[in-house]
Amino acid sequence: MVYQHSVGANTYKFKNLKDVMAKATPARSGDFLAGVAAETYAERMAARMCLAEIPLKMFLQDVLIPYESDEVTRLIIDSHNTQAFSRISHLTVGDFRNWLLLDTTDTACLMQVASGVTPEMAAAVSKLMRNQDLILVAKKCTVITAFRNTIGLSGHLSSRLQPNHPTDDARGIAASMLDGLLYGSGDAVIGINPATDSLPALMDLYCLVDEVINQYEIPTQSCILTHVTNQIQLIEKGAPVDLVFQSIAGTEAANKSFGIDIKLLEEARAAALSLRRGTVGNNVMYFETGQGSALSANASFGVDQQTCEARAYAVARHLSPLLTNTVVGFIGPEYLYDGKQIIRAGLEDHFCGKLLGLPIGCDVCYTNHAEADQDDMDTLMTLLASAGLTFLMGIPGADDIMLNYQTTSFHDTLYLRNLLGLKAAPEFEQWLKKMNIMDQQGRVQAITQQHPMLLKMPSHLLKQL
């Protein structure tokens, strides 16, 4: 079906719904690289005006990637909740934007319709929204998950303690873990990006983190970010696996490039659930995504990168994760060129994830060859926290020495909590106060050599430090 819209004396034609979506997207380098972006501001505005008039029902009839050839499309269509959709089924994309922004469309309303919103609908309406719209609506969405603590409560901001080390050195990892815990980070997860795929080495990392969690009775969860097949093998070998991790994308072909499909992820989830390691909940999956991943795998099929990203959220939603993390600027300037594009992408991803009912956080980050700096990241993380961000990264000095990119630090989490009056997960906050890391007013305390964390540290770990 051909779409068209006039702007002034010019009439712009779009060959299909996929073309309208791509042309309506705010400018970003990845879409120009793929050859799908609007060539002019006028064409982009014509596409947006055209998109605003398209009924939401059309996204169920005119799928962007064929049902027959893509399992993500099949998942989206087959799992669509028509009863939840009925409340908004009469709306156009433009009407949907207006409905989302109504004061009467509150948290309860958004929870009721979440399973009736497809990723393409979420992506479409985001293309019509200003940054403030994305922030306001995301703020109204509440998504709560749990494993050993409760994530996503209103008024809370969690953090992933990320103690990476380029050689998986136990001393460096232990030092980073201690550092982060003493700054109040780690309630989302203590998650390590390993340098190796060696199963014995991975087993050692699992045991190291598990020992720290058990030694101090920390109400949090661990994760080693290796391939899902490694994690399944390690579960079979008796590893203390809390959360199962995997990078995912929005098309079947892109996921195949990661060596996964939906069936494999379902198998991994079942394996993790069989361990029964959660105490307050059973959300056992941790996913990471990022705009540009499908295009970088030559698997976007002409769909703009932001819509591909939203489609990845359907895969995540299907598996009821504890956490999903959009790594917004990690791939590089080929996909998000500068600070402005990274900020916009982060707000879009957070909005789409929350609207779809996903517990979504953000790795507010950039590579060293992008036209961005830490001031841009300060802006994005402040906007996201204002929008109800579920969690962000905590890395010593905001500099990941293993993955070689710039992200957010333990101090950034404290800044956002102090600025906006946000708290850690309630079970974790109680532990922080019990350990005298935080006082009763929620302020992080100065640490001395007589601190309980240091006094209770096992001798072999203390020697490593």
Side-chain angles (χ1 to χ4, degrees):
M1 178 177 177
V2 176
Y3 297 86
Q4 65 180 38
H5 204 285
S6 297
V7 176
N10 296 318
T11 298
Y12 295 88
K13 294 185 178 181
F14 309 98
K15 54 188 176 183
N16 50 36
L17 182 55
K18 179 165 56 178
D19 192 34
V20 176
M21 290 278 281
K23 297 293 196 298
T25 305
R28 65 203 58 195
S29 52
D31 289 335
F32 284 108
L33 180 66
V36 301
E39 295 183 2
T40 64
Y41 285 107
E43 184 182 25
R44 185 172 299 113
M45 185 54 65
R48 288 177 180 171
M49 295 171 73
C50 184
L51 182 61
E53 297 172 356
I54 295 174
L56 291 178
K57 289 179 179 178
M58 186 60 66
F59 292 95
L60 301 171
Q61 302 166 14
D62 187 4
V63 296
L64 305 189
I65 300 176
Y67 181 94
E68 297 75 17
S69 61
D70 188 273
E71 70 168 2
V72 178
T73 298
R74 292 194 292 275
L75 174 67
I76 291 168
I77 298 300
D78 294 348
S79 64
H80 184 247
N81 187 331
T82 54
Q83 183 175 356
F85 182 59
S86 63
R87 184 164 185 171
I88 57 174
S89 61
H90 62 290
L91 301 177
T92 65
V93 178
D95 293 333
F96 187 35
R97 172 188 176 274
N98 294 338
W99 181 81
L100 288 170
L101 290 168
L102 289 173
D103 289 342
T104 52
T105 303
D106 57 13
T107 299
C109 290
L110 294 171
M111 291 175 68
Q112 289 168 6
V113 304
S115 60
V117 178
T118 70
E120 291 85 354
M121 294 175 194
V125 74
S126 75
K127 299 175 191 301
L128 305 184
M129 301 177 93
R130 292 171 57 184
N131 287 359
Q132 65 174 254
D133 301 337
L134 299 174
I135 293 167
L136 182 61
V137 175
K139 178 71 171 180
K140 295 193 287 185
C141 298
T142 299
V143 183
I144 301 170
T145 57
F147 187 75
R148 289 203 190 98
N149 57 33
T150 308
I151 305 292
L153 293 166
S154 180
H156 292 71
L157 173 66
S158 295
S159 66
R160 169 186 161 191
L161 202 173
Q162 190 169 322
N164 295 344
H165 193 279
T167 63
D168 291 339
D169 179 73
R171 292 175 301 172
I173 290 170
S176 292
M177 275 196 287
L178 180 62
D179 190 23
L181 290 168
L182 293 176
Y183 278 108
S185 288
D187 52 333
V189 63
I190 301 175
I192 301 172
N193 295 88
T196 180
D197 284 329
S198 160
L199 292 186
L202 293 170
M203 180 69 83
D204 289 343
L205 291 177
Y206 275 111
C207 292
L208 170 63
V209 183
D210 190 58
E211 181 180 7
V212 172
I213 289 175
N214 289 332
Q215 174 69 23
Y216 298 112
E217 300 177 331
I218 309 171
T220 191
Q221 38 282 327
S222 69
C223 186
I224 309 300
L225 283 68
T226 186
H227 194 268
V228 66
T229 53
N230 290 335
Q231 293 164 87
I232 292 172
Q233 291 182 69
L234 286 160
I235 289 173
E236 293 170 348
K237 293 177 181 294
V241 176
D242 291 338
L243 305 185
V244 170
F245 161 81
Q246 183 55 49
S247 294
I248 57 173
T251 71
E252 179 179 345
N255 283 325
K256 282 184 176 178
S257 75
F258 292 155
I260 62 166
D261 58 22
I262 295 171
K263 183 179 179 181
L264 178 61
L265 296 176
E266 292 171 342
E267 178 187 343
R269 180 173 182 266
L273 286 171
S274 72
L275 300 180
R276 301 181 182 274
R277 291 176 60 83
T279 56
V280 297
N282 60 359
N283 298 109
V284 296
M285 303 300 285
Y286 174 30
F287 296 116
E288 288 195 346
T289 66
Q291 287 196 27
S293 58
L295 178 58
S296 66
N298 194 30
S300 60
F301 304 101
V303 177
D304 67 272
Q305 68 181 37
Q306 189 248 334
T307 302
C308 281
E309 169 73 4
R311 283 170 55 93
Y313 302 160
V315 178
R317 181 171 64 174
H318 173 63
L319 293 146
S320 303
L322 179 75
L323 308 164
T324 301
N325 177 35
T326 170
V327 191
V328 68
F330 181 68
I331 301 181
E334 299 83 2
Y335 303 93
L336 295 169
Y337 178 72
D338 57 15
K340 182 175 182 177
Q341 292 187 11
I342 292 171
I343 289 168
R344 175 68 191 191
L347 294 175
E348 290 169 345
D349 294 350
H350 180 250
F351 162 84
C352 288
K354 293 290 281 294
L355 186 62
L356 292 167
L358 204 61
I360 192 156
C362 185
D363 190 346
V364 178
C365 63
Y366 64 101
T367 59
N368 290 314
H369 62 308
E371 290 294 323
D373 58 28
Q374 210 64 40
D375 285 338
D376 295 317
M377 302 306 106
D378 286 351
T379 298
L380 178 54
M381 68 181 178
T382 305
L383 294 174
L384 285 170
S386 300
L389 182 70
T390 303
F391 72 104
L392 80 165
M393 303 297 108
I395 296 179
D399 185 358
D400 193 315
I401 60 174
M402 187 269 180
L403 296 175
N404 195 29
Y405 74 111
Q406 312 306 313
T407 178
T408 47
S409 70
F410 308 136
H411 300 79
D412 292 329
T413 302
L414 294 181
Y415 149 70
L416 292 169
R417 288 175 179 165
N418 289 337
L419 176 71
L420 300 172
L422 303 173
K423 298 181 178 181
E427 301 88 346
F428 191 79
E429 184 177 74
Q430 290 175 14
W431 177 82
L432 291 172
K433 292 177 179 178
K434 172 186 171 184
M435 296 296 293
N436 294 320
I437 295 171
M438 182 181 287
D439 65 19
Q440 293 306 309
Q441 287 70 47
R443 297 171 298 196
V444 170
Q445 308 243 64
I447 304 302
T448 70
Q449 290 184 350
Q450 300 303 309
H451 191 274
M453 284 286 287
L454 299 177
L455 294 176
K456 288 182 64 176
M457 180 170 289
S459 58
H460 66 284
L461 288 179
L462 193 59
K463 288 177 181 178
Q464 288 180 342
L465 294 175

